[in-house]
Amino acid sequence: MPIISAAHEFNEDDLYVDLTRTLGIPLYLKCEGFNFSGSIKQKAALEMVEAAERSGLLGFDTILVESSSGNLGVALSVIAASKGLRFVCVTDARCNQATRQVMEALGAEVHVVTEPDQKGGLLGARLAHVRRLCASDPRYLWLNQYLSDDNWRAHHRLTAPHIAAQFPDIGVLFVATGTAGTLMGCARWFAKHRPKVRIVAVDSVGSVTFGGPAQTRYIPGIGSGVRPPLLDESLVDEVIMVPEADTMRACHRLVSHGLLFGGSTGTVLAGAERWLAERAPDDATIAVAIAPDLGERYLDTLYQPDWIHRHFGPTELRRPAAAPDALTARRNA
């Protein structure tokens, strides 16, 4: 058993759920939520903070600031508390109440943006708020997960090699896409070391990341209202777009088997299941999907019937029928 002296020193990196027996899906879920931050974002957060420490950017009066829909904000709150730093998270109204409460309990200051930017939506409004803070006081240090190479380097150094070590014969990797840090870190590593592995990005319908039209989205943690600057589509073999109703169904299917996961995990599962049904009917392909988060912070949204009815109307939370081919964007096929 590991013995740690600080919260950021622990991350369970070797836990997978075999969904073959659970849901009848030939897929391994890499569970990234078993750390004190509750999500994969702890890796990128720690990489960015420690890079700032090495470069001398952190002074005694530095105030870290970052835009986040939730998980990175919690991760930075944990690390800031662990290292004795101040942190301001700029989020928006989609951020779950439980997530805000966790950040505040950890000592972070949370600013909630309510009005979307005309061009960039809520993300654009959050970024504008961060820029105003930084312009108002030189003590603010914006780590900027959207531009930081340390975002993807964390997954190039840790996530991808761990997956390859566990599954030497992996054939396809499914990655949920937000800032594209996890996607790019894994895609770059596999392109260099295991180029035959197929990299499938999974995104939410309504996200503009891969050029689709912007639509209202209610589930935080995946997708974007602004194209991620870190994204290099040449490293991605295929893209699958998942409607949020399918995300909910996937989450409820998992929890019916005792597996309480978050929205990003539900989205990547829904996309992976569709891909496997269409591309690998013989179950011969070793498939892995990264499950970025757990579900406790979604109890008042994804797992709350009134919330679901309010945003999506009457919804049957069972296994969905096959999604239309139009919703699957095939790249380099």
Side-chain angles (χ1 to χ4, degrees), residues 8 70 98 109-110 113-114 121 123 127 136 159 173 198 200 226 238 266 289 293 308 313 324 332:
H8 63 269
E109 184 179 331
V110 181
V113 171
T114 57
L123 174 57
L127 297 179
S136 70
T159 310
L173 177 65
R198 201 156 189 81
V200 179
V226 177
E238 297 182 61
D293 55 359
I308 294 171
N332 305 325

Side-chain angles (χ1 to χ4, degrees), residues 92-144:
D92 60 59
R94 293 176 304 171
C95 179
N96 301 320
Q97 181 64 25
T99 299
R100 283 181 249 173
Q101 291 173 332
V102 169
M103 289 190 281
E104 290 170 343
L106 289 162
E109 184 179 331
V110 181
H111 296 188
V112 181
V113 171
T114 57
E115 294 298 323
D117 180 81
Q118 287 187 348
K119 293 184 178 180
L122 287 169
L123 174 57
R126 287 184 354 222
L127 297 179
H129 187 85
V130 170
R131 293 187 184 99
R132 286 194 295 270
L133 286 177
C134 292
S136 70
D137 191 330
R139 293 178 299 168
Y140 284 109
L141 174 63
W142 183 14
L143 296 171
N144 200 347

Side-chain angles (χ1 to χ4, degrees), residues 104-273:
E104 290 170 343
L106 289 162
E109 184 179 331
V110 181
H111 296 188
V112 181
V113 171
T114 57
E115 294 298 323
D117 180 81
Q118 287 187 348
K119 293 184 178 180
L122 287 169
L123 174 57
R126 287 184 354 222
L127 297 179
H129 187 85
V130 170
R131 293 187 184 99
R132 286 194 295 270
L133 286 177
C134 292
S136 70
D137 191 330
R139 293 178 299 168
Y140 284 109
L141 174 63
W142 183 14
L143 296 171
N144 200 347
Q145 61 167 325
Y146 309 98
L147 292 177
S148 174
D149 287 332
D150 294 305
N151 185 346
W152 65 261
R153 282 179 184 138
H155 304 289
H156 188 277
R157 183 170 66 85
L158 297 171
T159 310
H162 275 108
I163 293 171
Q166 183 71 33
F167 298 98
D169 297 323
I170 180 176
V172 57
L173 177 65
F174 300 95
V175 188
T177 309
T179 63
T182 307
L183 176 64
M184 288 296 97
C186 291
R188 286 192 171 95
W189 192 94
F190 279 102
K192 180 177 180 180
H193 300 282
R194 305 279 180 83
K196 292 184 179 180
V197 174
R198 201 156 189 81
I199 303 298
V200 179
V202 183
D203 199 8
S204 180
V205 170
S207 166
V208 305
T209 296
F210 294 98
Q215 298 178 25
T216 300
R217 292 176 291 116
Y218 300 104
I219 302 172
I222 189 171
S224 179
V226 177
R227 180 181 170 85
L230 295 178
L231 179 65
D232 180 352
E233 287 192 68
S234 70
L235 296 170
V236 179
D237 294 300
E238 297 182 61
V239 178
I240 295 181
M241 305 299 294
V242 175
E244 288 190 323
D246 287 358
T247 293
M248 289 189 296
R249 293 186 185 102
C251 286
H252 281 257
R253 288 179 64 204
L254 285 166
V255 82
S256 71
H257 292 274
L259 301 169
L260 183 64
F261 283 102
S264 299
T265 299
T267 304
V268 78
L269 171 60
E273 182 178 17

Side-chain angles (χ1 to χ4, degrees), residues 19-42:
L19 294 181
T20 306
R21 294 177 61 187
T22 312
L23 298 181
I25 305 171
L27 179 69
Y28 296 96
L29 274 185
K30 186 180 192 308
C31 303
E32 289 280 357
F34 291 96
N35 53 49
F36 283 93
S37 303
S39 81
I40 195 172
K41 289 293 189 177
Q42 179 166 297

